[in-house]
Amino acid sequence: MADNDTSLKPKTVTKPKLERPKLYKVTLVNDDYTPREFVIMVLKAVFRMSEETGYRMMMTAHKMGVCVIVVCARDIAESKAKEATDLGKEAGFPLMFVTEPEE
Ligand code: TYC
């Protein structure tokens, strides 16, 4: 090289990182007022689950206090949780679905 051998070449090559979008949980919260059958109906209608899966998830929330229903993209999680919570509200029940980022 000539008298000035300062290299302009980067020492490391970094690939541009595309962050994976965060996933969100939709969680069913137990309460003392919403009828079991109504919870199952909402799970079937909004989350497209079978009677058996709906029953299992309802019973998990009933016994444990909460049950994770699905993990998905934020906009889907939020709209499903709202749709399901609104069905309870319209029928006069305090049924609640909440969303939070997955760890
Ligand atoms: N605990 C309610 C009852 O005994 C049933 C229920 C289950 C309500 C799960 C909400 O997320 C829930 N009628």
Side-chain angles (χ1 to χ4, degrees), residues 28-36 39 58 61-62 95-96:
L28 169 63
V29 183
N30 185 40
D31 68 72
D32 292 337
Y33 304 100
T34 310
R36 294 179 182 195
V39 180
M58 179 280 294
H62 178 73
L95 181 63
M96 207 164 67

